[in-house]
Amino acid sequence: MIELNGIEKIYLSKTRDVHAIGNISTIINEGEFVSIVGPSGCGKSTLLHIIAGFDEPTAGRVKVAGKTVNPGTVPSALGYIFQKDTVLPWRSVRDNISLGLQYRSTPRADIDNKVAALLKLGNLQGFEDTFPHQLSGGMRRRVALLMTLACEPKLLLLDEPFGALDTHTRTLLHKELISIWRQMRQTIILVTHDLDEAVTLSDRIIVLSRPPSRILLDQHVSIPHPRDVFSVRDTPEFAEHFRTIWKVLGQEFRDAQQPADLVGGLH
Amino acid sequence: MADVQALSLSREDRLRTVARKAFWRRFRLAFWQVGLVGLAVAIWEIGTRIPFLSKNFNVFDPFFVSRPSAIILRLYDWTFGAKAGFLWPHLEATLIATLIGLVLSVSTGFVVGLLFSQKRELAIVLNPFIVALNSLPRIAFVPLITMIFGLGLASKVVTAWFIVFFLVFFNTFKGGMAIEKELIEFCRTLGANERQITRSVRIPNALGWTFTALPNAVSFSLIGVVIAEFVGSTTGMGYLIITSLATLNSADMFAALTVLSLVGVVLVSLFKLLERRLMRWSPEFREQG
Ligand SMILES: Nc1ncnc2c1ncn2[C@@H]1O[C@H](COP(=O)(O)OP(=O)(O)OP(=O)(O)O)[C@@H](O)[C@H]1O
Ligand SMILES: [Mg+2]
């Protein structure tokens, strides 16, 4: 589904160059749920940007569904959830969710049916005519997710989608995400700071190093599905996985404390 | 069941109490405001009737400041009294010029502002000129505008446009630039092409910023029209004020000023309402009650 081949990214600027991504190559299979973790600034968002075609790699090549990604063009059937709120504030919940369908000129009746189903999925019935500023942060996240799901993406890129939420809301959204993924089997790449979240949700966890980043660890998560988001963290497998990954990631965090290496390797 | 009833009753009671308090709060406010105006009018009326004051102080000399009763009489004359209908053509001329000037400046300011925020090259090439034009004392151009466009509607509209355009332009331009990159990228992932992004994201976003400028735009438009009427015109509220200066008729002057203030207040409140209506999606205009 996704092929990353020798991806490197250097941001050039007058004051100082940032060598964000050193060299990343990997293959992500169709239907996989992969989490990417790593120290802040190691280029996780940059990597997602490159996959989505928002940004150009300095070196290397990305293929999505067999096609090389062209910077400036978003691969088809790709969904992207930003850390920031990206719902349109001047549209009601209903009009936000139907946005992607309107872009596709879907017939009115089909839109209505689909929006009704999505509202149910996102537990937002009764909020159709509400404007985003009247919703809670967690509800806005759900609207953004539904906007994306309405377009039936085959590939979902999630950039710390639950970062700003409280534990309760976050856990509920984890549950929804797992059930959506189990129904629709999209390929999902989730960037997160939260190792708990990564182990709870994904099949595979990629740990990136400090910048210029490379893959430190590529760990399969062998906890069987269906997972219960509330109790999975009490299982011994969870603790085991958490320990293995934390050993690598924690060391990286510790090393990142020494600032000498933090900023780009060009000079 | 009984419990629910009791609860809902007390809820209604509470709502009633809240409503009653709100009413008295508003009443007190209105009372003081009306009282203040009444006091000023009373001092004005009585002060101009006390010989000691009116002889010694210009601000109490009815020759300069007229007096409320005279102004009200004059307004009655102009509308239904001795010179019935005299006011209407002037009021109409000012209103029409203000609204046309407003529509023209808001639409052009919006289009140019949005265009500039999208086309970087255009903005970079033309921005210095716009900034220069904006920093000129625009009122100094009104005589020139009158010379070119004559004594009628045209020069009033052009003056209003010249004053309001920049306000709307800068607001829209700022809004167009302030749009979040992520919002546009997100809509791209939803399958939008450039035209759809412009229609569904860029235009509504910029419109939000344009609407915020509306109440100011109305009052500036009115200012522009009145100044144009001062400089050279044969109709309008500004014309009435200038002729009453020429004839040293303070009752005429204050009658015209009163009408003009009312026009300003009404127009600005109307456009505040319109802004509220158009911007009801914005947290700043959260519906109350
Ligand atoms: N547009 C840009 N111009 C210059 N430098 C950039 C740009 N975007 C990102 N960077 C730099 O690249 C590095 C990686 O940024 P990125 O946002 O990908 O990190 P991240 O891993 O997502 O961090 P976080 O976990 O804090 O979100 C950072 O040092 C950042 O300063
Ligand atoms: Mg990031």
Side-chain angles (χ1 to χ4, degrees):
Chain A
M1 180 74 188
I2 301 175
E3 265 183 71
L4 300 175
N5 215 322
I7 300 296
E8 185 181 19
K9 180 71 191 183
I10 303 169
Y11 287 104
L12 300 176
S13 82
K14 279 210 182 99
T15 45
R16 58 182 184 193
D17 298 338
V18 179
H19 198 166
I21 300 179
N23 186 336
I24 292 181
S25 300
T26 190
I27 290 179
I28 291 166
N29 296 316
E30 195 156 344
E32 243 183 334
F33 193 142
V34 183
S35 287
I36 298 180
V37 294
S40 179
C42 74
K44 302 181 294 291
S45 302
T46 304
L47 190 63
L48 290 195
H49 272 89
I50 290 172
I51 296 173
F54 299 153
D55 208 341
E56 191 173 15
T58 311
R61 210 174 43 161
V62 192
K63 275 187 175 182
V64 172
K67 285 195 216 113
T68 304
V69 174
N70 260 328
T73 343
V74 181
S76 60
L78 180 146
Y80 199 117
I81 302 290
F82 290 85
Q83 178 165 17
K84 277 193 186 167
D85 266 332
T86 49
V87 295
L88 300 182
W90 50 83
R91 282 176 169 248
S92 66
V93 168
R94 184 206 317 275
D95 291 342
N96 264 297
I97 295 176
S98 58
L99 187 62
L101 300 171
Q102 287 172 16
Y103 288 150
R104 256 147 263 231
S105 334
T106 312
R108 190 74 242 174
D110 292 358
I111 292 186
D112 289 346
N113 286 336
K114 210 155 174 189
V115 168
L118 284 164
L119 282 166
K120 194 158 167 232
L121 179 73
N123 227 332
L124 283 169
Q125 295 117 307
F127 290 95
E128 294 86 342
D129 299 315
T130 311
F131 284 105
H133 74 84
Q134 297 161 314
L135 300 174
S136 73
M139 288 159 98
R140 278 198 294 272
R141 271 1 327 250
R142 290 207 298 262
V143 174
L145 192 61
L146 296 178
M147 288 169 80
T148 302
L149 289 178
C151 303
E152 296 178 356
K154 296 267 168 20
L155 170 61
L156 254 184
L157 306 180
L158 310 174
D159 192 353
E160 298 183 38
F162 312 123
L165 301 178
D166 62 284
T167 320
H168 173 73
T169 314
R170 182 198 291 238
T171 314
L172 289 178
L173 285 176
H174 286 165
K175 197 173 148 200
E176 280 173 36
L177 184 61
I178 287 196
S179 85
I180 288 165
W181 175 65
R182 283 180 57 77
Q183 277 170 50
M184 312 202 189
R185 286 290 164 186
Q186 307 95 336
T187 311
I188 298 184
I189 304 183
L190 168 73
V191 163
T192 175
H193 270 127
D194 181 351
L195 191 50
D196 268 346
E197 180 171 285
V199 179
T200 305
L201 296 174
S202 47
D203 285 339
R204 182 179 158 196
I205 296 176
I206 293 176
V207 182
L208 297 184
S209 70
R210 288 162 291 149
S213 56
R214 61 201 163 76
I215 296 180
L216 281 182
L217 181 73
D218 190 338
Q219 171 84 28
H220 181 67
V221 179
S222 55
I223 305 173
H225 284 283
R227 295 177 192 168
D228 175 60
V229 291
F230 292 98
S231 63
V232 70
R233 52 191 80 209
D234 300 329
T235 62
E237 295 108 306
F238 186 95
E240 179 63 36
H241 280 103
F242 190 93
R243 207 171 318 120
T244 321
I245 296 162
W246 182 246
K247 223 157 79 192
V248 179
L249 188 60
Q251 184 58 45
E252 207 57 21
F253 285 164
R254 226 167 292 136
D255 294 348
Q257 298 269 302
Q258 273 94 59
D261 251 16
L262 249 179
V263 185
L266 267 197
H267 300 293
Chain B
M1 202 56 215
D3 257 18
V4 173
Q5 197 115 44
L7 251 173
S8 74
L9 261 178
S10 78
R11 180 176 174 276
E12 260 168 32
D13 275 349
R14 256 179 297 153
L15 277 177
R16 239 195 312 269
T17 318
V18 170
R20 190 160 1 107
K21 274 190 183 152
F23 172 78
W24 281 112
R25 201 171 35 240
R26 236 169 289 151
F27 181 82
R28 266 199 306 276
L29 205 71
F31 177 82
W32 281 109
Q33 286 169 338
V34 171
L36 225 57
V37 172
L39 186 69
V41 169
I43 291 177
W44 189 357
E45 181 72 38
I46 296 166
T48 51
R49 288 182 187 280
I50 298 175
F52 168 74
L53 287 175
S54 60
K55 287 227 175 64
N56 292 303
F57 303 98
N58 278 353
V59 289
F60 285 112
D61 186 342
F63 178 74
F64 296 115
V65 299
S66 186
R67 66 166 62 101
S69 52
I71 296 165
I72 290 169
L73 274 177
R74 184 60 43 91
L75 279 175
Y76 176 74
D77 278 353
W78 282 359
T79 48
F80 309 104
K83 293 172 80 178
F86 170 76
L87 179 66
W88 306 136
H90 295 290
L91 184 58
E92 189 188 326
T94 300
L95 274 179
I96 286 182
T98 303
L99 291 179
I100 296 180
L102 183 73
V103 168
L104 285 182
S105 52
V106 168
S107 51
T108 51
F110 172 74
V111 170
V112 178
L114 187 66
L115 208 68
F116 273 39
S117 68
Q118 298 326 309
K119 303 256 179 276
R120 293 305 297 264
E121 308 81 29
L122 205 65
I124 291 167
V125 172
L126 293 180
N127 236 4
F129 300 109
I130 297 225
V131 171
L133 263 171
N134 184 43
S135 56
L136 289 172
R138 264 164 278 158
I139 289 174
F141 285 76
V142 180
L144 178 65
I145 292 173
T146 312
M147 209 157 89
I148 298 174
F149 293 94
L151 301 182
L153 178 69
S155 58
K156 300 183 197 180
V157 169
V158 172
T159 305
W161 177 85
F162 194 46
I163 291 179
V164 179
F165 170 80
F166 295 93
L167 178 76
V168 178
F169 166 81
F170 280 114
N171 241 43
T172 310
F173 180 63
K174 210 161 94 191
M177 297 295 282
I179 191 158
E180 285 173 29
K181 191 167 107 278
E182 284 83 356
L183 210 55
I184 289 171
E185 284 171 343
F186 182 61
C187 291
R188 284 219 172 93
T189 67
L190 299 179
N193 57 32
E194 278 314 306
R195 218 191 71 244
Q196 288 170 323
I197 296 230
T198 303
R199 267 193 30 205
S200 63
V201 188
R202 295 191 202 274
I203 290 181
N205 167 68
L207 270 181
W209 290 68
T210 311
F211 293 154
T212 327
L214 272 187
N216 274 335
V218 188
S219 62
F220 277 77
S221 186
L222 186 59
I223 290 174
V225 168
V226 170
I227 291 172
E229 288 169 349
F230 281 176
V231 172
S233 169
T234 52
T235 51
M237 299 312 296
Y239 165 79
L240 281 189
I241 290 172
I242 278 294
T243 43
S244 55
L245 173 67
T247 57
L248 288 179
N249 189 327
S250 60
D252 277 1
M253 169 91 76
F254 274 98
L257 281 175
T258 310
V259 173
L260 202 51
S261 328
L262 285 177
V263 167
V265 170
V266 168
L267 279 182
V268 171
S269 337
L270 276 180
F271 277 82
K272 277 224 166 89
L273 270 180
L274 182 68
E275 181 199 8
R276 233 192 147 77
R277 175 88 194 92
L278 293 170
M279 297 286 288
R280 72 187 191 288
W281 52 267
S282 162
E284 279 170 61
F285 294 91
R286 204 180 274 258
E287 285 137 300
Q288 275 134 15

